[in-house]
Amino acid sequence: MSEPIIREASPADAGALHEYLVELIGEDLSTITLASRPSTVEQLQAVLRQYAELNNSVFLLAILDNKIVGQLDFQGGWHPKKRHAGGISVSTHRDYRGHGIGTRLVESLFEWVSSNPIVTRVELEVLSNNQRALDLYTRLGFTVEGTKKGAVIVDGKPVDNILMARMFPN
């Protein structure tokens, strides 16, 4: 498999990104949680415009053969005391998992953070039943900061949500 192109999303990507997200949401999501996503292409265009305007947030796409195969969004805090920190959401198309795309997306975020004078903390939440993601984030320098016991119900059973973060020097 060739290397994906990692780049910032633009409002022009809204249609393809919407298709990607609709397909992702249709999967068995027992190991991931999804934040609410815009339900129309127009709403997604507006969201991508907002990301482009914010200096502490970024929305990255992994593109392979002119197709979106992964995405990472980092949303920085809006309150002045929390602008330095933000949370990420990462996903990879099911046909491309296990090929390093998630790693490349997170590493690209780290490059962006290293050149950003505001952001010094990247946070995430991952379900305890998603060992592949836990291993990835640990390998990339995230540390566990806490656990939300039984935070999510999967197949009728409570699953813990693991809180992780990585700090960056100013």
Side-chain angles (χ1 to χ4, degrees):
M1 185 175 84
S2 57
E3 280 288 307
I5 296 167
I6 308 293
R7 64 169 176 79
E8 287 189 41
S10 75
D13 295 310
L17 182 58
H18 188 266
E19 288 178 25
Y20 168 85
L21 293 171
V22 166
E23 187 173 343
L24 181 70
I25 291 168
E27 292 182 37
D28 169 21
L29 301 177
S30 61
T31 60
I32 61 175
T33 57
L34 292 174
S36 61
R37 296 287 183 196
S39 59
T40 68
V41 172
E42 292 76 20
Q43 289 172 331
L44 194 50
Q45 285 174 326
V47 167
L48 293 175
R49 273 193 294 278
Q50 287 177 327
Y51 270 88
E53 293 171 1
L54 297 169
N55 59 4
N56 68 337
S57 299
V58 67
F59 202 116
L60 301 174
L61 299 177
I63 310 289
L64 193 58
D65 299 326
N66 295 316
K67 178 182 178 181
I68 296 174
V69 296
Q71 66 87 34
L72 179 150
D73 60 280
F74 173 82
Q75 189 169 20
W78 61 269
H79 190 280
K81 292 181 180 180
K82 294 186 177 185
R83 287 187 45 74
H84 71 288
I88 65 171
S89 170
V90 184
S91 67
T92 303
H93 187 283
R94 70 173 159 258
D95 295 340
Y96 297 90
R97 291 182 189 140
H99 295 284
I101 291 172
T103 300
R104 291 267 295 116
L105 282 162
V106 175
E107 288 172 342
S108 295
L109 172 68
F110 292 169
E111 291 171 18
W112 179 85
V113 168
S114 295
S115 67
N116 186 294
I118 298 169
V119 178
T120 59
R121 179 180 167 85
V122 176
E123 305 168 344
L124 61 88
E125 296 183 18
V126 60
L127 295 181
S128 62
N129 65 344
N130 192 347
Q131 194 60 50
R132 175 182 262 170
L134 284 164
D135 292 344
L136 167 68
Y137 298 135
T138 300
R139 188 174 73 248
L140 292 173
F142 286 88
T143 57
V144 173
E145 294 189 335
T147 302
K148 291 180 174 179
K149 296 285 187 187
V152 179
I153 301 296
V154 176
D155 297 328
K157 297 179 183 169
V159 176
D160 296 347
N161 214 352
I162 308 297
L163 310 175
M164 302 181 83
R166 179 173 167 177
M167 297 294 295
F168 292 83
N170 245 351

